Amino acid sequence: MNKKYLSKIIATDNEGLQVISACCSGAEVKVDEIKYLQSNKVFLLSLNRSKVETEEKDKKVTSICKFEFVDKVKSKNIKQNDPEEKLELIGMDYLKNNDNYEINLMFTNNAYITLLTEIIEVTLDDQNKAD
């Protein structure tokens, strides 16, 4: 497959995080496609999203959202023992807490994941061409 059709968005501040949040709003995430690699301080989210940043808004694309420098992850209202459960991502925001950040991933049904990070370093990387 030709990689030149795939897009990548990198965020290192609130503005970039809001761009990624807008791109991922309404994305579908399966519980078993959420991974925290604690030894690497990396949190990965595989999502199926609409290609809202282009004219292909009605097309779906699989993307990986990677958060780096993650020290701790907390979640609420997510059934981790049900790997097939699907969550719908509403959006992302953050709070500055002393020298660290709390990045919040908000889902429907009052489910959320909080990432405690040193800095904002988020990458949204498309894995396939929109179809």
Side-chain angles (χ1 to χ4, degrees), residues 43 45 67 89 91-92 103-107 111-115:
F43 183 84
L45 200 62
F67 299 83
L89 183 65
M92 304 174 196
I103 299 175
N104 296 298
L105 310 178
M106 297 157 294
F107 300 91
Y112 64 87
I113 297 172
T114 300
L115 310 175

Side-chain angles (χ1 to χ4, degrees), residues 34-110:
I34 300 172
K35 304 282 185 243
Y36 177 44
L37 310 173
Q38 191 169 8
S39 59
N40 298 341
K41 293 186 159 195
V42 171
F43 183 84
L44 298 167
L45 200 62
S46 177
L47 31 87
N48 194 17
R49 65 183 190 88
S50 296
K51 193 84 170 136
V52 296
E53 69 274 18
T54 67
E55 289 80 49
E56 303 178 274
K57 291 176 182 40
D58 55 339
K59 307 266 185 178
K60 292 286 189 182
V61 65
T62 301
S63 301
I64 302 286
C65 195
K66 178 167 105 175
F67 299 83
E68 298 188 71
F69 305 102
V70 177
D71 293 317
K72 190 175 177 187
V73 176
K74 298 185 287 188
S75 67
K76 186 171 182 186
N77 297 329
I78 295 175
K79 296 183 198 121
Q80 295 179 22
N81 57 352
D82 182 1
E84 292 300 309
E85 182 183 18
K86 291 184 179 171
L87 304 168
E88 183 182 328
L89 183 65
I90 298 169
M92 304 174 196
D93 69 4
Y94 83 97
L95 296 168
K96 180 100 166 93
N97 191 353
N98 298 325
D99 292 334
N100 293 319
Y101 294 93
E102 288 183 14
I103 299 175
N104 296 298
L105 310 178
M106 297 157 294
F107 300 91
T108 54
N109 299 325
N110 202 28

